[in-house]
Amino acid sequence: QVQLVESGGGLVQPGGSLRLSCAASGSIRSIYRMDWYREAPQNQRELVAGLHVSGTTNYDDSVKGRFTISRDNFKNTVYLQMNSLKPEDTAVYYCNLHILSLGGIRGSYWGQGTQVTVSS
């Protein structure tokens, strides 16, 4: 019904930048909540950034001032701009979107994950 495809991960040096993308397709009427999570080895998956359709954002303290979540409504795509990256940002990043389908059904969906490695 709904598919999410993530892209943009990779290897970057400390202080560098990456932009992650999460493109949604399928029976979508609207996306009303957008979140980015990350999961490091032996760590719990944690919420990094969130965006509501109202424009309200929330960020984990560890990424405030460095990461920005945004959306492109026309493309049904959510982004995570990551600047001033640190080694501790290394993790698999997952998008999670709350979607209203064309049939009026609400549900949440996960992307497949994309690896971000920050290392010199």
Side-chain angles (χ1 to χ4, degrees):
Q1 185 177 11
V2 174
Q3 297 179 9
L4 307 184
V5 178
E6 296 185 35
S7 62
L11 175 64
V12 65
Q13 294 186 77
S17 298
L18 286 173
R19 173 178 271 198
L20 306 184
S21 298
C22 178
S25 62
S27 185
I28 299 169
R29 173 164 292 170
S30 64
I31 304 171
Y32 58 92
R33 180 182 169 186
M34 298 137 276
D35 296 307
W36 284 97
Y37 291 77
R38 67 186 180 189
E39 184 175 327
Q42 299 181 351
N43 279 51
Q44 196 123 17
R45 188 172 298 185
E46 63 178 1
L47 179 64
V48 175
L51 173 63
H52 186 73
V53 291
S54 66
T56 300
T57 59
N58 61 281
Y59 297 94
D60 185 82
D61 288 340
S62 66
V63 306
K64 283 183 178 178
R66 300 188 298 119
F67 290 11
T68 303
I69 186 170
S70 62
R71 70 182 302 187
D72 185 327
N73 293 333
F74 184 78
K75 296 180 179 180
N76 278 151
T77 301
V78 180
Y79 302 96
L80 184 67
Q81 179 66 47
M82 305 184 295
N83 299 324
S84 302
L85 283 162
K86 305 174 181 179
E88 48 263 46
D89 295 319
T90 296
V92 178
Y93 284 72
Y94 299 88
C95 59
N96 179 257
L97 273 51
H98 293 248
I99 294 171
L100 175 64
S101 75
L102 293 175
I105 299 173
R106 295 178 183 271
S108 61
Y109 301 87
W110 289 97
Q112 83 279 10
T114 184
Q115 176 71 49
V116 172
T117 302
V118 185
S119 177
S120 58

